[in-house]
Amino acid sequence: MTLLRPAIKRSNAKTVAPRVGLVGLLGSGNLGNDGSLEAMFAYLAAEHPDAILDFMCSGPDQITARYGVPATCLRWSATETQGPRSITALAVKGLKVPLGMVIDAFRTASWVRRRDVVIVPGTGVLEATIAVRPWHTPYSMLLVCAFGRLFGTKVALVSVGADDVRQRSTRWLITAAARLAYYRSYRDTFSRDAMRRMGLDTSADAVYPDLAFALRPPRGVPVVAGTVGVGVMDYHGGNDDRQQGDQLHASYVEKMKSFVLWLVDNGRLVRLFTSDVHDERTMHQVLADLRAHRPDLCPSQVIAEPVPALDELMRQIASVDTVVASRYHNVLYALQLAKPTLAVGYAAKFGPLMTEMGMAEFCQSADSVDVGRLIEQFTDLESRPAQLRQAMTERTAANARLLDRQFATLSALLFQKAEPAATAARHRRAHTDALREELS
């Protein structure tokens, strides 16, 4: 089953095949990131089928197995942790971070200079809403964008997420990377405003929906009446919560256990699901607690199955009546499928998404879940599904049209004959002004 939307009008054939690299936290078991990648891959296959593709990503083996294209690891240190350590690696253990940063600079420079275009397909690469070290993704993004500028490779940050970052080094790396990119667009105005507050000139930057809105929803999936999909995560807070991460996790898990227990006690069928390999532990904790408190519960009343791929996750979400979820893209996929959805979100980015989809009143923070209020919100959610579904369906269709427009812009800016940076900036600014006028 394909998840990809129908192709838009095919571009003219090129005389020279463009060399295109895709960069990001891709192939690492996060099905949210995979959704953005699937949408970008579909665009490239439809519009630029002659492009020579490869990846620099966090899960190169998985990407090569899935798409049959070359892939290399985003960070040298991640490569070094796979398999047995060499004597040399053990000897430099204390210098691993600085050594890795130097090695990655050379690796990334070599990789970027051999490509015409490098695309970062969505995801939250400009945020730190989940704990991230400055020498991980922020540093990788800076290297890619800096060497793109140095070698004349067009680096595009496409519908990416951003947030206000307080840690000074991480903030500097993120803003410096974005400043050096050839093209920038954000998945919501919140992200663009966050980059502006951190000192970036965003006047020529566009806002488009998350790339996952370009995915084609699964067809023919029967809905099991009365089933609630509950998407849990291995939540430990963000960069600013490292000291209390375990406490936040324990509180979140206990609240989700209580809510699931209420669901089954009130006659709902429950489907637990995840979209990241790290979340399975939390799912099993919730399931074990439920079995312990309700040992006579019929096994069919609560289903918790592994989700190996994006298409299976989408089918699971499509099969339920309502959704309560914590992962950003679990919430987004549910909204895209017009499922009445309650977000137990871990960052400010959930607010703009829920508001844009007409669901602003159905949102809570993962670090301070109020189970009583969650039950009230859920009851309200179930009471007016038709009204909510209509609004979500209309907005999803509009988002898909906007993404088609962005894909056309990418073809014009990235795959046409190279133009001076100043001219490209004027084109981006003119396009942004036209888009704002259209949406006003």
Side-chain angles (χ1 to χ4, degrees), residues 340 358-359 361-362 377-390 392:
M359 304 288 288
E361 62 197 288
F362 301 106
Q377 290 175 304
F378 177 78
T379 303
D380 186 18
L381 190 75
E382 279 194 321
S383 69
R384 44 194 177 107
Q387 171 194 350
L388 298 174
R389 286 179 180 135
Q390 180 178 355
M392 288 183 281

Side-chain angles (χ1 to χ4, degrees), residues 17 32 109 130 175 184 299 365 369 383 390:
I130 298 223
T175 53
R184 296 186 299 267
S365 175
V369 181
S383 69
Q390 180 178 355

Side-chain angles (χ1 to χ4, degrees), residues 270-285:
V270 174
R271 176 179 281 279
L272 296 170
F273 62 88
T274 66
S275 63
D276 190 290
V277 292
H278 297 98
D279 299 336
E280 292 184 9
R281 182 184 68 165
T282 302
M283 181 178 72
H284 291 307
Q285 286 177 314

